[in-house]
Amino acid sequence: MQPPRTAALPEVAETALWTLYHRAAEATRKDTVLADPQAVRLVAQLDFPFRHRLGRARPWVAQALALRSLAFDDVVRAFLSEHPDGTVIALGEGLETTFWRVDNGRMRWVSVDLPDPLALRARLLPRNARQHLVRCDIGREPDSVWSRSVDPSRGVVVTAQGLLMYLREDRVRQMLAACAETFPGGTMVFDTVSRRFSRRTRSGARGPGGHVLPPMPWGMDPDGRVALKAVHPAITEIRDVALPAGRGPTGLLASRLSTLPLLRTNRPLITSLRFSPA
């Protein structure tokens, strides 16, 4: 039976809907790189004209976004293999469905976002007692709003997928420092766009569907990672997280971006930070 579509969609960033739309399109393939039934279910339920507003889901974009999600999944799974009772903090989670792909039945999950996305998650996605929703305007409110409710004693990993590029650089550095200070021994993983791509978004560039890209104030190239150590003395390890190999030429190219001369310094990055113990 087709799930009923919701009558009203609260204010949710169109970027979150665009990402969900492509992730669900990839998940419906028989040869998908990312099984994501919750994403498929969400698209079916939401009363939003995906095709009309966002255009046709492009297979190469769908696979690339799915591989990004899979890379984040792998970091979280590695954390849970060492800290099965640990806490995952998902900043600006939007309509991501990572919890249901990585749940080990023991972890605790904290989703931090604006009220409208959280309300939509609470209404449409299954929940259990190990999931907690924390309302916070990450771009404007202090990090203590969400971090003070987290018990770091069993290990913490902080994820920021598709978030930091929408913040100012000073706010990003403030957040990284707060995480390093608050979660000793913890991990943080986040993705970024390149500085060149960031400049394009600020000049009205269009994306793969022809829609105008939202401004992304912060970009980082591979040589910018070394400066992250100066953000806080507890940041002791910085490493690149490569995309997993995917399907066909797109999937192969995605996993080898760092080896291609033209893209080596102008590509999206996924970066993992480790914080020193107390």
Side-chain angles (χ1 to χ4, degrees), residues 38 72-90 93 96-111 121 126-132 150-151 154-159:
Q38 293 295 348
F72 274 80
D73 289 0
D74 288 345
V75 172
V76 173
R77 288 191 183 102
F79 164 78
L80 292 174
S81 70
E82 297 182 10
H83 307 277
D85 298 304
T87 299
V88 181
I89 304 171
E93 191 171 19
E96 293 294 333
T97 49
T98 314
F99 175 88
W100 296 273
R101 297 194 303 268
V102 303
D103 186 21
N104 65 354
R106 296 167 59 182
M107 68 178 186
R108 289 172 291 180
W109 191 276
V110 179
S111 181
R121 295 182 68 86
R127 289 184 58 199
N128 62 50
R130 291 179 290 109
Q131 290 177 277
H132 303 280
V150 178
D151 175 9
R154 298 182 182 182
V156 170
V157 60
V158 181
T159 72

Side-chain angles (χ1 to χ4, degrees), residues 102-159:
V102 303
D103 186 21
N104 65 354
R106 296 167 59 182
M107 68 178 186
R108 289 172 291 180
W109 191 276
V110 179
S111 181
V112 183
D113 215 327
L114 295 167
D116 281 340
L118 291 182
L120 193 61
R121 295 182 68 86
R123 196 167 82 215
L124 297 181
L125 289 168
R127 289 184 58 199
N128 62 50
R130 291 179 290 109
Q131 290 177 277
H132 303 280
L133 307 181
V134 179
R135 295 182 179 186
C136 181
D137 186 339
I138 294 171
R140 294 188 175 95
E141 296 184 81
D143 296 298
S144 59
V145 170
W146 57 267
S147 64
R148 64 191 174 200
S149 63
V150 178
D151 175 9
S153 63
R154 298 182 182 182
V156 170
V157 60
V158 181
T159 72

Side-chain angles (χ1 to χ4, degrees), residues 13-218:
E14 198 159 287
T15 52
L17 295 167
W18 183 82
T19 303
L20 171 68
Y21 177 46
H22 282 84
R23 207 170 66 248
E26 169 64 29
T28 60
R29 295 179 60 110
K30 291 182 179 179
D31 57 352
T32 184
V33 299
L34 185 75
D36 198 346
Q38 293 295 348
V40 176
R41 180 171 165 269
L42 271 177
V43 167
Q45 285 186 284
L46 288 172
D47 187 19
F48 181 79
F50 285 95
R51 181 71 180 262
H52 175 72
R53 289 281 291 274
L54 306 178
R56 180 179 60 87
R58 285 155 173 77
W60 69 270
V61 176
Q63 184 182 181
L65 289 171
L67 289 174
R68 180 184 74 169
S69 292
L70 185 58
F72 274 80
D73 289 0
D74 288 345
V75 172
V76 173
R77 288 191 183 102
F79 164 78
L80 292 174
S81 70
E82 297 182 10
H83 307 277
D85 298 304
T87 299
V88 181
I89 304 171
L91 300 179
E93 191 171 19
L95 297 175
E96 293 294 333
T97 49
T98 314
F99 175 88
W100 296 273
R101 297 194 303 268
V102 303
D103 186 21
N104 65 354
R106 296 167 59 182
M107 68 178 186
R108 289 172 291 180
W109 191 276
V110 179
S111 181
V112 183
D113 215 327
L114 295 167
D116 281 340
L118 291 182
L120 193 61
R121 295 182 68 86
R123 196 167 82 215
L124 297 181
L125 289 168
R127 289 184 58 199
N128 62 50
R130 291 179 290 109
Q131 290 177 277
H132 303 280
L133 307 181
V134 179
R135 295 182 179 186
C136 181
D137 186 339
I138 294 171
R140 294 188 175 95
E141 296 184 81
D143 296 298
S144 59
V145 170
W146 57 267
S147 64
R148 64 191 174 200
S149 63
V150 178
D151 175 9
S153 63
R154 298 182 182 182
V156 170
V157 60
V158 181
T159 72
Q161 185 174 177
L163 171 66
L164 300 191
M165 62 282 290
Y166 296 108
L167 306 180
R168 301 185 320 272
E169 181 175 0
D170 61 329
R171 178 66 187 102
V172 172
R173 295 172 69 87
Q174 183 184 51
M175 179 186 295
L176 298 183
C179 289
E181 180 77 26
T182 308
F183 305 119
T187 300
M188 182 172 186
V189 59
F190 58 89
D191 62 319
T192 52
V193 297
S194 69
R195 286 179 290 192
R196 184 183 302 178
F197 190 83
S198 171
R199 288 193 297 269
R200 285 187 59 216
T201 68
R202 287 176 275 140
S203 60
R206 294 185 177 272
H211 61 286
V212 177
L213 294 167
M216 302 180 190
W218 185 56

Side-chain angles (χ1 to χ4, degrees), residues 60 64 67-68 192 194 222 240-245 249-270:
W60 69 270
L67 289 174
R68 180 184 74 169
T192 52
S194 69
D240 178 67
V241 178
L243 290 180
T250 297
L252 181 63
L253 177 65
S255 65
R256 296 186 177 181
L257 291 179
S258 64
T259 67
L260 302 177
L262 292 177
L263 297 175
R264 187 179 298 139
T265 59
N266 180 32
R267 61 188 173 90
L269 303 175
I270 303 177

